[in-house]
């Protein structure tokens, strides 16, 4: 039984069947549509009609794979003693093992005027449909939050012909997850496309007329015109169901290294799970497709084989902001040394981040080969000296391919 029909829930079900699981698989999701991928929603989806391209699989896949998909059904409660879940509509489904793949939801904008028409977030296909419909007539767009989704949306808004302002409370873009040089590169990129970037300031309220947004007011009283305001100020994990069931929760459903919750008959995967990461050296919660897919595969494999193997996949992530494509391998937070390979002015470079002499990860712009090499190096647990990393004559690709993965 899988609760949550997004990337991780879908992958758990699909991997169970691909691995030959013969028992009943029930996938319960509260969205009314077939499971889909979210990354296109802030990218190509905003400028292209149709939804087919984002579906993870068509309806026939679920029928043929005998995955019972309950759409538009919200799991309301877990009876751990009875090993069953109940949905809001009153359906009860029993389980031998329950996988929570509940994802996360956007943080609400905590300012007056957040409920005006023309103020939106971007998480679901319904959100993306509304924004896609609004973009052609939007003149002044304010994006609150200079993170991945806000910046991807800023690209779409510029392409649609709007004047775009990004308001970021911190001093640089994507500061939670990327290094300063990468933030600087992206700031230059967006400014060159005409985006106004405001740092170190926050929106104190949204002003409107006749129920619709007409602008935002900043903390210092400055007003900026806006007929469309998009908030991308982070997410909160969906943990309430787990909390009500008495599972351990701490900004995410707490799981062990095998991705089991505090109840061994329940696992949690994807955006909603806080897990001990050997790459971070502490428990983390990650919001990425890689994390959702690899954790789902890991749990499916454990259920199929019965083997308790720790989850150790190397985290990686990408964001496409128009022509600027960033790929991140590993977790670079807490690094104390950086070396660069390639040319930042040309927009083709990789920043390797180290703590001491240990490579934590790398941020690559326009250098997919470096990104793949770093993923292989981190998976193998191999060394790469800063001198090798920055030396373009050192064949990173060949070196990484010569490595074999070693168990930690
Ligand atoms: C606009 C956007 C762009 C993104 N771009 C990228 C990108 O470029 N690269 C990248 O790596 N990642 C990207 N991500 C992040 C990535 O999509 C997520 O990390 C991933 O979808 C997480 O998968 P998940 O299954 O954990 O959660 P989700 O995909 O959110 O799925 C969880 C599902 O569970 C449902 N649910 C919640 N509670 C219940 C309940 N009680 N009962 C039933 N169903 C429930 C939710 O409604 C949702 O459908 C993006 C995300 C967004 C929103």
């Amino acid at each position: 039984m899988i609760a949550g029909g997004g990337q991780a829930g879908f992958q758990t079900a699909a991997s169970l069947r691909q691995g030959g699981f013969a028992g009943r698989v029930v996938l319960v999701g509260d969205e009314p549509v077939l499971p889909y991928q979210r990354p296109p929603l802030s990218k190509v989806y905003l400028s292209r009609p149709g939804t087919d391209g984002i579906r993870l699989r068509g309806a026939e896949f679920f029928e043929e794979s005998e995955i019972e998909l309950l759409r538009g059904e919200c799991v309301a409660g877990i009876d751990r003693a009875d090993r069953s879940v109940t949905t809001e509509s009153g359906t009860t489904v029993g389980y031998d093992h329950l996988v929570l793949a509940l994802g996360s939801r956007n943080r609400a904008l905590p300012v007056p005027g957040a409920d005006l028409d023309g103020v939106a977030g971007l998480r679901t296909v319904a959100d993306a449909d509304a924004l896609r419909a609004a973009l052609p007539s939007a003149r002044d767009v304010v994006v609150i939050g200079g993170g991945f989704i806000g910046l991807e949306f800023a690209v779409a808004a510029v392409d649609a012909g709007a004047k775009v302002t990004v308001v970021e409370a911190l001093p640089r873009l994507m500061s939670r997850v990327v290094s300063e040089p990468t933030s600087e590169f992206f700031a230059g990129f967006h400014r060159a496309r005409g985006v106004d970037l405001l740092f170190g300031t926050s929106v104190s309220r949204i002003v409107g007329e006749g129920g619709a947004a007409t602008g935002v007011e900043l903390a210092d009283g400055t007003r900026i015109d806006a007929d469309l305001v998009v908030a991308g100020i982070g997410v909160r994990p969906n943990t309430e169901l787990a909390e009500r069931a008495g599972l351990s929760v701490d900004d995410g459903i707490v799981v062990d290294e095998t991705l089991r919750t505090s109840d061994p008959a329940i696992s949690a995967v994807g955006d909603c799970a806080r897990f001990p990461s050997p790459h971070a050296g502490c428990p983390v919660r990650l919001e990425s497709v890689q994390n959702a897919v690899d954790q789902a595969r890991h749990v499916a494999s454990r259920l199929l084989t019965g083997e308790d193997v720790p989850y150790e996949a190397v985290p990686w992530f990408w964001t496409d902001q128009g022509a600027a494509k960033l790929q991140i391998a590993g977790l670079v937070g807490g690094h104390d040394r950086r070396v660069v390979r390639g040319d930042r002015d040309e927009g083709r470079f990789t920043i390797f981040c180290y703590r001491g002499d240990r490579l934590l990860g790398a941020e690559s712009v326009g250098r997919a080969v470096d990104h793949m090499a770093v993923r292989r190096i981190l998976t193998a647990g191999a060394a790469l000296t800063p001198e090798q990393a920055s030396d373009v004559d050192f064949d990173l690709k060949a070196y990484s391919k010569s490595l074999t993965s070693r168990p930690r």
Side-chain angles (χ1 to χ4, degrees):
M1 160 74 210
I2 302 155
Q7 189 88 50
F10 163 80
Q11 189 63 52
T12 308
S15 293
L16 279 171
R17 281 295 184 241
Q18 278 154 15
F21 181 71
R24 190 176 177 209
V25 177
V26 184
L27 178 60
V28 186
D30 60 3
E31 293 186 70
V33 293
L34 285 169
Y36 60 93
Q37 34 181 336
R38 300 187 192 282
L41 299 181
S42 47
K43 307 177 184 77
V44 289
Y45 189 83
L46 291 167
S47 57
R48 272 191 217 154
T51 56
D52 284 1
I54 65 167
R55 272 190 204 146
L56 285 160
R57 286 288 192 287
E60 64 291 349
F61 170 82
F62 297 92
E63 275 163 38
E64 283 161 15
S65 313
E66 294 183 31
I67 295 168
E68 294 172 49
L69 177 63
L70 306 186
R71 292 196 245 167
E73 285 269 14
C74 182
V75 177
I78 305 170
D79 184 335
R80 287 168 53 196
D82 187 45
R83 294 213 174 167
S84 65
V85 302
T86 304
T87 68
E88 268 174 8
S89 70
T91 305
T92 297
V93 184
Y95 65 82
D96 295 320
H97 195 87
L98 171 64
V99 179
L100 300 176
L102 303 166
S104 52
R105 61 180 178 278
N106 285 344
R107 264 171 198 276
L109 193 58
V111 299
D115 54 351
L116 288 166
D117 283 349
V119 183
L122 179 47
R123 174 88 204 157
T124 64
V125 67
D127 296 335
D129 284 339
L131 287 170
R132 187 162 71 176
L135 268 178
S137 59
R139 286 186 317 274
D140 298 295
V141 172
V142 169
V143 175
I144 305 177
F148 296 123
I149 292 174
L151 293 171
E152 288 175 354
F153 182 78
V155 168
V158 168
D159 288 347
K163 179 178 181 317
V164 180
T165 306
V166 175
V167 182
E168 168 55 54
L170 295 171
R172 60 187 181 89
L173 296 177
M174 305 176 282
S175 60
R176 222 166 37 94
V177 269
V178 306
S179 68
E180 282 155 36
T182 298
S183 292
E184 272 166 37
F185 171 81
F186 277 88
F189 172 81
H190 288 287
R191 282 197 177 110
R193 301 183 89 245
V195 176
D196 205 1
L197 301 177
L198 306 179
F199 292 110
T201 185
S202 54
V203 170
S204 56
R205 70 184 182 117
I206 300 172
V207 289
E209 243 178 62
T214 54
V216 303
E217 194 172 285
L218 303 182
D220 66 1
T222 311
R223 280 226 183 165
I224 306 170
D225 287 344
D227 45 11
L228 183 60
V229 179
V230 174
I233 54 170
V235 299
R236 284 188 185 288
N238 291 325
T239 55
E240 292 78 0
L241 182 65
E243 248 167 285
R244 285 199 301 276
L247 298 175
S248 174
V249 165
D250 174 17
D251 182 36
I253 303 169
V254 175
V255 293
D256 66 13
E257 68 282 1
T258 69
L259 307 178
R260 278 193 185 87
T261 68
S262 47
D263 178 342
I266 307 179
S267 302
V269 291
D271 279 18
C272 70
R274 174 167 292 273
F275 66 100
S277 164
H279 303 282
C282 62
V284 291
R285 203 175 57 69
L286 300 178
E287 296 149 18
S288 72
V289 168
Q290 170 278 321
N291 183 63
V293 169
D294 284 345
Q295 291 196 337
R297 287 183 177 144
H298 192 84
V299 167
S301 165
R302 165 158 58 72
L303 295 175
L304 286 160
T305 62
E307 281 171 24
D308 275 344
V309 178
Y311 173 77
E312 296 186 334
V314 170
W316 58 267
F317 183 82
W318 82 95
T319 169
D320 291 350
Q321 298 176 22
K325 297 180 195 312
L326 169 66
Q327 292 168 297
I328 305 173
L331 298 172
V332 303
H335 67 269
D336 55 22
R337 181 172 181 196
R338 298 188 281 261
V339 294
V340 182
R341 187 181 184 93
D343 190 332
R344 267 189 273 175
D345 294 336
E346 275 181 16
R348 286 171 52 79
F349 63 91
T350 294
I351 298 175
F352 295 80
C353 300
Y354 288 83
R355 192 187 300 133
D357 54 11
R358 183 178 153 219
L359 177 67
L360 297 183
E363 301 162 348
S364 303
V365 175
R367 287 184 72 102
V369 171
D370 292 354
H371 171 75
M372 291 308 298
V374 174
R375 275 167 55 181
R376 283 192 288 265
I377 290 166
L378 294 175
T379 302
L384 178 75
T385 66
E387 293 70 28
Q388 290 169 326
S390 56
D391 176 3
V392 282
D393 292 328
F394 177 75
D395 192 338
L396 200 54
K397 184 176 171 182
Y399 169 64
S400 70
K401 285 198 157 176
S402 73
L403 300 167
T404 43
S405 294
R406 69 146 205 239
R408 275 166 188 279

